Amino acid sequence: MTTMTIAKALTAGLRRVLEENPKSLLIGEDIGRLGGVYRITDGLLADFGEDRVVDSPLAESAIIGTSIGLALRGYAPIAEIQFDGFVFPGFNQITTQLAKMRARAEGRFGAPVVIRIPYGGGIGSIEHHSESPEALFAHTAGLRIITPSNANDAYWMIQQAAACQDPVVFFEPKRRYWLKGEVDTENPAPDAFRAQVVREGADATIVAYGPLVPVALAAAEAAAEDGRDVEVIDLRSISPIDFDAVVDSVRKTGRLVVTHEAPTFGGIGGEIAARVSERAFLSLEAPVIRVGGFHMPYPVAKVEEQYLPDIDRLLEALDRSFAY
């Protein structure tokens, strides 16, 4: 076991991918000499060379298109999009080409590409640097979407994504890059596409993923002071969603709060609420409550803390749930 930040765990995970698979390579803007805006790829150019750590032009569509072509030729590309809001020039390539490749070929081949996207707010940045577009990708069949919330998951999930034969959109919670945690580099983390119960409880369930898992855990600890035993689930995989883990928890606790930074309107929380209502309706003691961003463009840094879900908003949601 060793202590790492999420950022360093990602670096170590990418290094291991490059070491173990000679067909793997990284491609993105400023990922080579600069080491990436957040220094996630720092040092990898020196160790693996320009053929495997490729500084691309400022052209997201070209990054994705090139990655698809490389994958079709037997390589295993890991593409970096510099910020969440910059992905949209490549959105067409991802949703109309990459996601459809296996179905188009009737399963004979696919395009196993990993697309790393730092996402979410809380860094005091400007427009297009703090968005949470995961639901836009989750609506597209053919893509797998995962996001780690801690260093151990970051280390192993990037490797699991690289080994997956389906395209994977790998969302990295940028405001948690400096969050430290224990990393077991010998024993793999659980399957990246399965949820994990990170705090057991009996009275209510909070489902979170990525940057809001620490907030959910803090809210559960605060709720415990009022005698409420709250279970917290780290979803980890946004597509596919591990509904069995969520439903099992709700059947035990009877209450569910789902939280994410993205707007609640059209968000992942709505899908979870609908599925839980279908599969565990008789177990619910209250409606499923969603806590997320507001249905508006991401605000300026001065007021972003009012936009992002926090402990108080989660505790208020729990109060509403227990009031039924």
Side-chain angles (χ1 to χ4, degrees):
M1 298 284 277
T2 183
T3 301
M4 298 185 193
T5 62
I6 287 179
K8 291 301 182 185
L10 287 167
T11 306
L14 288 169
R15 179 181 296 278
R16 188 161 175 176
V17 170
L18 292 170
E19 289 172 343
E20 295 183 352
N21 183 2
K23 289 290 188 178
S24 64
L25 61 95
L26 313 181
I27 181 172
E29 300 161 11
D30 299 320
I31 69 166
R33 288 175 175 81
L34 181 65
V37 171
Y38 291 101
R39 304 301 186 266
I40 304 300
T41 53
D42 190 33
L44 299 181
L45 174 64
D47 292 342
F48 296 97
E50 294 182 349
D51 290 339
R52 300 189 65 198
V53 183
V54 181
D55 273 321
S56 73
L58 183 65
E60 286 78 13
S61 181
I63 293 170
I64 303 303
T66 300
S67 296
I68 294 171
L70 285 165
L72 293 175
R73 294 291 293 175
Y75 292 92
I78 301 176
E80 177 183 303
I81 302 298
Q82 203 168 76
F83 284 96
D84 36 57
F86 296 175
V87 71
F88 296 106
F91 188 78
N92 178 57
Q93 293 277 26
I94 297 169
T95 57
T96 68
Q97 302 299 326
L98 180 61
K100 308 284 193 294
M101 204 62 67
R102 185 177 295 280
R104 187 178 295 157
E106 296 183 335
R108 293 190 300 273
F109 59 83
V113 176
V114 178
I115 304 170
R116 294 179 43 240
I117 306 176
Y119 80 121
I123 62 169
S125 194
I126 57 176
E127 186 180 14
H128 301 319
H129 292 70
S130 301
E131 298 169 6
S132 299
E134 59 268 22
L136 299 178
F137 294 94
H139 190 68
T140 302
L143 298 174
R144 291 177 179 261
I145 304 166
I146 57 178
T147 179
S149 68
N150 59 75
N152 195 64
D153 271 358
Y155 177 76
W156 287 108
M157 287 171 70
I158 191 62
Q159 296 177 63
Q160 293 168 346
C164 184
Q165 292 305 298
D166 292 319
V168 178
V169 181
F170 191 91
F171 279 105
E172 300 171 6
K174 67 171 83 76
R175 69 162 154 153
R176 305 300 181 194
Y177 272 145
W178 301 276
L179 181 67
K180 291 184 177 180
E182 292 294 316
V183 177
D184 184 346
T185 58
E186 298 298 326
N187 299 300
D191 183 355
F193 305 105
R194 296 293 182 186
Q196 293 294 305
V197 176
V198 292
R199 186 187 193 277
E200 293 190 358
D203 299 333
T205 301
I206 298 178
V207 170
Y209 56 82
L212 283 190
V213 172
V215 179
L217 287 168
E221 291 298 324
E225 297 178 5
D226 294 328
R228 293 171 175 170
D229 189 17
V230 177
E231 184 152 292
V232 177
I233 293 178
D234 181 351
L235 202 61
R236 301 171 83 241
S237 178
I238 297 170
S239 182
I241 292 175
D242 186 357
F243 290 112
D244 288 344
V246 178
V247 168
D248 287 346
S249 180
V250 171
R251 285 175 175 158
K252 177 175 64 171
T253 67
R255 292 178 169 84
L256 176 61
V257 173
V258 186
T259 185
H260 47 64
E261 285 192 13
T264 54
F265 184 86
I268 301 300
E271 179 65 28
I272 294 173
R275 294 294 187 99
V276 168
S277 295
E278 290 172 0
R279 294 180 54 182
F281 179 76
L282 295 179
S283 298
L284 286 170
E285 301 290 340
V288 179
I289 298 175
R290 295 169 295 157
V291 180
F294 302 111
H295 193 49
M296 58 177 287
Y298 195 88
V300 297
K302 185 182 292 186
V303 295
E304 71 174 341
E305 292 304 323
Q306 281 71 53
Y307 174 88
L308 296 169
D310 58 12
I311 296 172
D312 288 339
R313 286 178 63 189
L314 286 178
L315 291 175
E316 188 273 337
L318 288 170
D319 285 343
R320 280 191 285 143
S321 181
F322 280 103
Y324 277 89

